[in-house]
């Protein structure tokens, strides 16, 4: 179950993202589950229902529970995973990307530029970056190359460990949280 209450959300002073963008991202996630989840080659929860609440100021969405389907494990916000623990996530992402390769419906209903971590969405943070590495120096050029690529797929957009549910043995995963899914290259 996932809930977004637009009327009661406050915009933190240190967060450059307006609530309208947060609400749009939640709407995109609902679209993913309603229109695309069944076409996913990678394991995702099935959509059950969504409903507008509080006179249009909120939405609630129900999805399938992944625990009884064999995905009870959560690693939370860990950055010290082993190669063996990361590998199922990489396999899931590859399967997800391949399954949506050149999918026109995905292009119509999801973000035109997938991923929360792109320069356009995070412009202020990028411009305030003090790092003088080559990656930062060439960041805008690299970003433009990625966005102008001819062949794109639907990308998860926020493929971090918190957005995966693991099988008991840790060898399989299911993906969740598709708020930032959209078109991109799999390397996004």
């Amino acid at each position: 179950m996932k809930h977004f209450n637009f009327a009661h959300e406050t915009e933190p002073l240190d967060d450059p993202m307006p609530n309208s963008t947060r609400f749009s991202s939640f709407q995109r996630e609902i679209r993913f589950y309603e229109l695309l989840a069944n076409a996913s080659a990678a394991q995702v929860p099935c959509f059950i229902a969504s409903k507008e609440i509080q006179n249009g100021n909120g939405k609630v969405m129900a999805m399938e529970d992944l625990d009884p389907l064999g995905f009870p494990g959560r690693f939370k916000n860990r950055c010290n995973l082993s190669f063996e623990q990361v590998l199922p996530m990489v396999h899931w992402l590859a399967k997800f990307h391949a399954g949506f390769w050149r999918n026109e419906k995905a292009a119509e209903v999801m973000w035109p530029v997938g991923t929360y971590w792109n320069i356009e969405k995070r412009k202020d943070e990028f411009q305030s970056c003090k790092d003088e590495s080559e990656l930062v120096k060439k960041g805008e050029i690299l970003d433009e190359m990625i966005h102008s690529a001819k062949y794109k797929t639907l990308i998860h957009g926020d493929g971090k460990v918190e957005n995966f549910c693991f099988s008991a043995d840790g060898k399989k995963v299911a993906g969740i949280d598709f708020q930032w899914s959209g078109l991109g290259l799999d390397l996004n």
Side-chain angles (χ1 to χ4, degrees):
M1 185 76 71
K2 206 165 184 181
H3 174 257
F4 187 91
N5 185 337
F6 189 66
H8 294 109
E9 287 287 318
T10 58
E11 295 185 19
L13 295 176
D14 63 342
D15 189 347
M17 189 162 303
N19 280 335
S20 59
T21 303
R22 282 192 196 91
F23 193 67
S24 291
S25 72
F26 188 67
Q27 294 282 71
R28 305 269 176 172
E29 182 172 30
I30 291 171
R31 283 187 211 157
F32 172 81
Y33 284 112
E34 285 179 327
L35 304 171
L36 299 172
N38 288 338
S40 177
Q43 180 75 46
V44 299
C46 289
F47 174 77
I48 296 172
S50 69
K51 181 173 173 77
E52 206 169 90
I53 57 173
Q54 301 165 334
N55 298 322
N57 287 320
K59 271 234 171 177
V60 66
M61 175 177 58
M63 302 163 295
E64 178 178 44
D65 183 0
L66 291 169
D67 286 5
L69 296 177
F71 299 96
R74 310 292 185 274
F75 283 137
K76 308 280 186 217
N77 187 15
R78 287 186 43 199
C79 58
N80 61 342
L81 298 178
S82 69
F83 178 79
E84 290 76 23
Q85 291 169 314
V86 171
L87 198 55
M89 292 184 289
V90 173
H91 285 159
W92 184 95
L93 289 165
K95 197 173 192 179
F96 183 80
H97 297 153
F100 284 106
W101 181 254
R102 300 174 80 177
N103 182 306
E104 290 181 23
K105 190 174 209 169
E108 292 171 15
V109 300
M110 300 307 287
W111 291 107
V113 176
T115 188
Y116 181 71
W117 302 104
N118 71 56
I119 290 179
E120 187 59 36
K121 286 185 184 119
R122 311 299 284 187
K123 194 102 175 148
D124 292 342
E125 290 174 38
F126 180 74
Q127 289 174 342
S128 69
C129 189
K130 305 286 188 247
D131 189 348
E132 292 295 320
S133 70
E134 282 301 305
L135 185 60
V136 171
K137 287 179 189 175
K138 308 261 185 197
E140 288 180 332
I141 295 167
L142 181 60
D143 190 60
E144 178 55 35
M145 289 171 66
I146 289 169
H147 296 308
S148 64
K150 183 176 179 180
Y151 299 108
K152 297 180 182 178
T153 187
L154 182 67
I155 60 171
H156 181 279
D158 198 16
K160 58 189 176 189
V161 70
E162 296 100 307
N163 291 331
F164 290 97
C165 302
F166 292 77
S167 61
D169 65 4
K171 294 182 190 233
K172 294 180 184 173
V173 297
I176 58 171
D177 194 355
F178 295 89
Q179 291 186 11
W180 299 106
S181 292
L183 294 185
L185 300 179
D186 55 357
L187 60 89
N188 286 103

